[in-house]
Amino acid sequence: MDFTLTLNFDPKDLEVINGAQQKVALAKPVSNSSANVIWVAFDPFESNSIQWSEEYWIYASTASAGKNGEKITKLSEVQPGPAMTGSIYTFGQTATFGEPVKNPTIGSGTFAAQNDMPYDKYPSLTFGLSQTAQVNQQIQDRKPISATSVLATQQIQATPYTYVYIWLEGHFESSTIVTDVTGKQTVAKFGGGVTEIDMSYDGKSGLFHQ
């Protein structure tokens, strides 16, 4: 695992959070969309460890990308994964992704897909990136981190960032689109040599602090 995020809670705060039936939610920003998908949401312990590697898959779904609370069901995904950067995956009328084709116009850290599903079948589909995390030793396999509506015949390019947004969430689970975040968000700034971050929750501010 390339990155480790440790989140600590005071037992008194944990009682309040669990009493309010809230979870810890994590999201990751991607170039073509804000952090609009709950990557993983989990019930917290006093000390929580989240680990992941910078490996991504591209998925397709019929979920509505702009609908708050919409649960994403992945219908197709690049196989085998993880996806390659600097290449285009074509999604055709067989509802599968083809082999990656190198393209010099796509950067080394960018993933791309071409929506060639016929317009008559689906005028648009939702595409995004998915990523695996290990939360308190439990694998959360290839959960969506982004969702963007792509019209038939169009292409999507997505560049993931290493930052992680953290907040307390009372309504939604993992793999859910959120256009309105109710809790205050803390940003864990990974990257640039930073691979491990340890934070503690402050109930007064509703934020996590290093």
Side-chain angles (χ1 to χ4, degrees), residues 12-161:
K12 291 180 181 177
D13 287 327
L14 212 52
E15 281 186 27
V16 174
I17 292 165
N18 287 325
Q21 295 184 309
Q22 297 217 344
K23 298 175 182 290
V24 176
L26 305 180
K28 293 187 73 182
V30 174
S31 60
N32 57 10
S33 64
S34 57
N36 66 337
V37 175
I38 295 177
W39 177 26
V40 287
F42 61 92
D43 295 311
F45 291 86
E46 287 179 27
S47 180
N48 305 270
S49 175
I50 304 98
Q51 297 175 297
W52 65 93
S53 297
E54 285 299 278
E55 295 182 338
Y56 298 88
W57 282 254
I58 304 172
Y59 76 87
S61 173
T62 53
S64 177
K67 186 177 179 184
N68 193 47
E70 178 94 350
K71 180 90 172 176
I72 299 170
T73 301
K74 296 182 299 179
L75 301 180
S76 298
E77 206 166 27
V78 293
Q79 299 291 345
M84 291 172 56
T85 62
S87 303
I88 295 181
Y89 289 82
T90 298
F91 189 75
Q93 59 182 350
T94 58
T96 57
F97 287 95
E99 294 291 318
V101 177
K102 282 283 183 188
N103 190 305
T105 66
I106 298 163
S108 61
T110 299
F111 299 88
Q114 171 72 30
N115 182 9
D116 279 352
M117 175 66 76
Y119 179 89
D120 294 342
K121 282 190 174 181
Y122 293 97
S124 70
L125 288 168
T126 291
F127 286 80
L129 300 180
S130 58
Q131 186 175 23
T132 296
Q134 183 172 291
V135 180
N136 293 332
Q137 306 304 315
Q138 291 190 317
I139 295 292
Q140 303 288 326
D141 202 25
R142 302 198 308 272
K143 299 291 186 183
I145 64 166
S146 67
T148 303
S149 183
V150 182
L151 302 183
T153 76
Q154 291 189 353
Q155 183 191 114
I156 182 176
Q157 294 190 19
T159 307
Y161 298 113

Side-chain angles (χ1 to χ4, degrees), residues 143-209:
K143 299 291 186 183
I145 64 166
S146 67
T148 303
S149 183
V150 182
L151 302 183
T153 76
Q154 291 189 353
Q155 183 191 114
I156 182 176
Q157 294 190 19
T159 307
Y161 298 113
T162 52
Y163 286 13
V164 177
Y165 289 77
I166 314 155
W167 73 98
L168 295 182
E169 173 63 55
H171 304 291
F172 303 128
E173 305 282 339
S174 305
S175 309
T176 305
I177 292 166
V178 281
T179 55
D180 303 307
V181 174
T182 51
K184 286 186 175 179
Q185 289 184 317
T186 302
V187 182
K189 295 183 178 180
F190 289 94
V194 178
T195 59
E196 295 187 17
I197 293 179
D198 197 306
M199 295 181 135
S200 296
Y201 178 72
D202 174 33
K204 290 181 180 177
S205 66
L207 296 168
F208 294 84
H209 300 288

